[in-house]
Structure formats: structure tokens, C-alpha cells
Amino acid sequence: MSRVETSNHISRFLLLLMTSAIAATAANLYYNQPILPLIKEAFNLSDAQLGSIPALTQCGYAFALLFISPLGDSIPRRKLISVLSTLLVLASLAGALAPNLIVLLISVFLIGVGANIKQQLIPFAASMVSAENEGATLGTLMMGLTLGILLSRTLSGFVGEHMGWQSVFYMSALLATLFGALLYVFLPVNKPHAN
């Protein structure tokens, strides 16, 4: 794991930003579950077709764990996070505008890939603090991860019911844009030692 300038702790602002970004990113893996009945009605899908939507989201995430996560050790994490944020924004917009199931499936797969942002932020934060403060820092970040997972279904269900299922994808794109920009501005640049 590459290290940036190690200090005793991360600033409260940066820790809050990273924790919030992890929560917002993790939520993308579960946003589509409460709105599945609305998507089924919109595209007149069978149960098997409908089940492929959350399945492909998780497949995209698994793909990213295998092939994207290791890149954080050889590519500056801030740059990788920016690329993943852009992918998440574009995939969410594609999901909102999807004219058919095929486009929707491709978009949710890419949303799963983009959700790898949280797998970059957690080791990044660990590399920025001294060993004795890693536990407290990682505990805070994992709290954000848990909150994102727990609140995602409630939030997307509420938005989908009152504003339509496409609005959930627009909301995801908006949050990805916001956090992507903030992380690009405030994250320090790390120099990986691996090639």
C-alpha cells in the first residue's frame, strides 16, 4: 500500500467527506432494489428479467473488486477515484434514460463497477494516518459504509414512489457528481510505489 504524508490523524473535514462519500457510493449497490416493481411495470418484465437488474449490479461490483481495486496500488488513488466517479455519473444517467432492459442492465453493471470508489477510499485513508490511529479512522469509515447500505433502500423507495424510478438514477448521478468533485479538490495526491 502506498502512503501519502502520514500524520497522527486526518482532518475532521476530510474524514467526514470520505465517510459521506463511502456512504453515498455504497448506496448505489442497493438503490435499484426498492424500485424494481416500478421498473417491472415500466418495461413489462418477467420476474427472471427483473432479478437480473440487482444481480448485474452485484456482478459489476465483483468485477471491480477483482480488476479495479488492485489498481489503487499502482495508480494514484485520487486519479482512480475521479475516473470511477465519472463512470458512476455516466452510468447513472444511462440508467435514468434507459429505453429498454438491455441498456438498463449495462448501466447497472457499470454502476456496480463505479461503486468501487469506496474500495479506494478505505485503504487511502489508512495510508494517511499513523498505525495507532488506523483503527479509529477505519471504524468511522465503516460506519459510513453501514449507513449507506442501511439508508439506501429507504431513500430510493421514497424517491421512486414520489418522483418515479428514473429519479433514483438522477439522484445517484447528482450525488456522484458532488462527491466526485469534492474528493478531487480535497483528497491529497499519493504516489504509489508499485508499478
Side-chain angles (χ1 to χ4, degrees), residues 6-181:
T6 303
S7 62
N8 289 330
H9 63 281
I10 299 176
S11 71
R12 287 185 180 180
F13 170 76
L14 186 56
L15 184 58
L16 177 62
L17 173 59
M18 294 175 87
T19 303
S20 301
I22 287 171
T25 303
N28 284 282
L29 296 171
Y30 306 98
Y31 277 152
N32 60 42
Q33 293 178 9
I35 58 173
L36 288 175
L38 300 174
I39 295 174
K40 180 179 182 178
E41 185 178 340
F43 291 116
N44 193 27
L45 304 177
S46 68
D47 289 341
Q49 290 172 318
L50 194 64
S52 64
I53 295 171
L56 272 178
T57 307
Q58 299 300 323
C59 286
Y61 181 61
F63 173 88
L65 285 176
L66 289 172
F67 299 107
I68 307 294
S69 291
L71 294 178
D73 291 330
S74 56
I75 296 174
R77 288 192 191 273
R78 190 176 91 162
K79 181 178 181 180
L80 188 54
I81 288 168
S82 296
V83 171
L84 290 170
S85 295
T86 302
L87 175 64
L88 191 53
V89 170
L90 295 176
S92 297
L93 290 175
L97 299 171
N100 54 51
L101 178 63
I102 299 299
V103 174
L104 184 60
L105 291 177
I106 293 169
S107 69
V108 297
F109 179 86
L110 294 175
I111 286 171
V113 174
N116 188 256
I117 292 168
K118 65 183 171 56
Q119 299 303 131
Q120 301 302 327
L121 286 172
I122 293 171
F124 195 13
S127 73
M128 291 172 13
V129 296
S130 58
E132 57 268 20
N133 288 309
E134 274 187 17
T137 300
L138 294 179
T140 302
L141 296 176
M142 296 308 291
M143 178 188 67
L145 176 63
T146 303
L147 285 175
I149 293 170
L150 292 176
L151 297 177
S152 60
R153 293 176 181 89
T154 303
L155 180 60
S156 68
F158 178 83
V159 171
E161 182 179 345
H162 291 91
M163 302 173 70
W165 66 268
Q166 295 97 333
S167 298
V168 175
F169 288 99
Y170 284 125
M171 174 188 69
S172 171
L174 180 63
L175 289 172
T177 301
L178 173 65
F179 283 109

